[in-house]
Amino acid sequence: MSGDVKNNAARNRYELTVGDATAVVEYEKRDGTIVFTHTEVPESMAGQGIGSALARGALEDARSSGRKVVPLCPFVAKYIQRHPEYQDLVAEEGGTSA
């Protein structure tokens, strides 16, 4: 796998392009947090660690910008569960209803 995760702020998503396919994590900025709402990895990219690389890149960007995250997207939430080094980024929030 090659490529870098990029924040496409104009489209409110992080992107990872490999070849001619692009995986994305969509987000919204709310109250000083980044709310991850949806992850999509094209079938042609499945099973290659692309989703994990994308989640890691998005979380690292949130960390470097000093923002907390709200992982509404099940993929990002599960990634954080499996990688405790990112649990400090999760916003302590009472109401995360969508």
Side-chain angles (χ1 to χ4, degrees), residues 30 70 72 91 93-98:
R30 295 186 204 156
V70 178
L72 294 183
E93 201 172 326
T96 58
S97 60

Side-chain angles (χ1 to χ4, degrees), residues 40-54:
E40 188 168 328
V41 177
E43 187 68 33
S44 65
M45 300 172 96
Q48 301 175 43
I50 301 292
S52 292
L54 182 59

Side-chain angles (χ1 to χ4, degrees), residues 62-93:
R63 184 185 305 281
S64 70
S65 70
R67 290 185 179 266
K68 294 287 189 178
V69 303
V70 178
L72 294 183
C73 167
F75 183 86
V76 175
K78 188 166 287 246
Y79 184 86
I80 292 170
Q81 279 183 334
R82 291 182 181 155
H83 297 87
E85 66 270 23
Y86 293 111
Q87 295 201 1
D88 65 307
L89 292 176
V90 178
E92 297 295 325
E93 201 172 326

